[in-house]
């Protein structure tokens, strides 16, 4: 049964405005300070590509692919399937995420980059679902706050599909098929 992804929640125009606003805020706060941008693969690749082209400071960019496993302990464990190629020591770092839900992945990733000696670690997310939060973490730069719905498009997938949509869609079960 193919899921129904026809309902647009956020248009491509709204996304463009959001990215411009977030970039303005980062440009204002950092000025000419060089920034190491770390998009979290895979979902953040489109947002990061749009964002970095609007940033005005010198930008270094490197990717990480991580996932978190949360067992009995509340802290959880970070699994790194692609690590950085660069040293974060002494650098101002901006983690770029597609969406924050529980917050487990980001809180573990942020702590790891702090432990590695980054001068500062901030978080920029395209979308935020605060109702899903299970750990106390907030983005420093947040694009659009959403209710607790599952979204696809603009980098976000369902089983690897729909990342290419230019807008954000809600996934519904399609009873008709
Ligand atoms: P969490 O904050 O729960 O640790 O993990 C957030 C990650 O789960 C996101 O980076 C994203 O990969 C995935 N995720 C959370 N909410 C959604 C959603 O609504 N749609 C999609 N496609 N992925 C989501
Ligand atoms: Mg992600």
């Amino acid at each position: 049964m193919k899921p129904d992804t026809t309902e647009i929640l956020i248009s491509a125009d709204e996304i463009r405005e959001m990215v411009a606003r977030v970039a303005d805020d980062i440009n204002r706060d950092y000025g000419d300070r060089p920034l190491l941008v770390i998009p979290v693969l895979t979902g953040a690749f489109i947002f990061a590509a749009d964002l970095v082209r609007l940033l005005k400071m010198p930008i270094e960019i490197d990717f990480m692919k991580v996932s978190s496993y949360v067992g009995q302990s509340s802290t959880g464990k970070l699994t790194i399937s692609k690590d950085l190629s660069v040293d974060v020591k002494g650098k101002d770092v901006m983690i770029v995420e597609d969406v924050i839900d529980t917050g487990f992945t980001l809180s573990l990733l942020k702590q790891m980059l702090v432990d590695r000696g980054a001068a500062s670690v901030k978080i920029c997310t395209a979308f935020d679902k605060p109702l899903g939060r299970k750990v106390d973490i907030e983005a420093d730069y947040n694009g659009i706050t959403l209710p607790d719905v599952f979204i696809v498009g603009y980098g976000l997938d369902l089983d690897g599909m729909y990342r290419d949509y230019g807008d954000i869609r809600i996934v519904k079960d399609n009873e008709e098929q």
Side-chain angles (χ1 to χ4, degrees):
M1 192 171 74
K2 212 164 152 281
D4 176 356
T5 59
T6 51
E7 186 181 337
I8 297 174
L9 182 66
I10 305 165
S11 71
D13 278 345
E14 287 173 286
I15 293 174
R16 251 188 301 281
E17 282 169 30
M18 174 275 280
V19 180
R21 175 171 49 76
V22 170
D24 281 351
D25 289 346
I26 296 173
N27 284 327
R28 182 201 60 218
D29 293 349
Y30 283 80
D32 293 333
R33 272 159 64 200
L35 196 57
L36 171 59
V37 174
I38 304 181
V40 182
L41 292 173
T42 301
F45 81 110
I46 290 182
F47 176 48
D50 284 347
L51 181 69
V52 293
R53 283 179 287 178
L54 299 178
L55 295 180
K56 296 187 172 138
M57 69 289 292
I59 294 284
E60 187 179 10
I61 185 156
D62 197 10
F63 297 88
M64 284 194 86
K65 187 159 189 166
V66 294
S67 56
S68 60
Y69 168 77
V70 182
Q72 302 283 39
S73 79
S74 59
T75 47
K77 185 177 175 303
L78 193 70
T79 303
I80 302 172
S81 43
K82 190 225 166 284
D83 205 340
L84 297 171
S85 317
V86 300
D87 193 354
V88 301
K89 204 163 287 166
K91 291 178 184 167
D92 290 316
V93 171
M94 182 70 69
I95 301 172
V96 176
E97 183 58 295
D98 48 5
V99 56
I100 310 179
D101 186 23
T102 66
F104 280 122
T105 314
L106 267 186
S107 65
L108 293 166
L109 178 58
K110 181 172 181 176
Q111 189 55 50
M112 195 198 73
L113 296 172
V114 168
D115 292 344
R116 287 185 183 182
S120 68
V121 181
K122 299 257 170 138
I123 294 168
C124 175
T125 190
F127 307 103
D128 188 15
K129 301 200 291 189
L131 294 175
R133 205 70 95 252
K134 298 221 165 70
V135 291
D136 187 19
I137 190 158
E138 292 305 322
D140 300 281
Y141 301 92
N142 172 26
I144 296 173
T145 301
L146 298 177
D148 197 9
V149 290
F150 190 82
I151 53 169
V152 297
Y154 199 64
L156 289 140
D157 75 310
L158 172 63
D159 296 333
M161 300 299 291
Y162 316 122
R163 294 192 196 276
D164 54 307
Y165 290 167
D167 42 31
I168 287 287
R169 315 244 183 128
I170 292 178
V171 179
K172 288 179 288 188
D173 286 333
N174 196 340
E175 312 274 313
E176 309 301 306
Q177 296 186 37

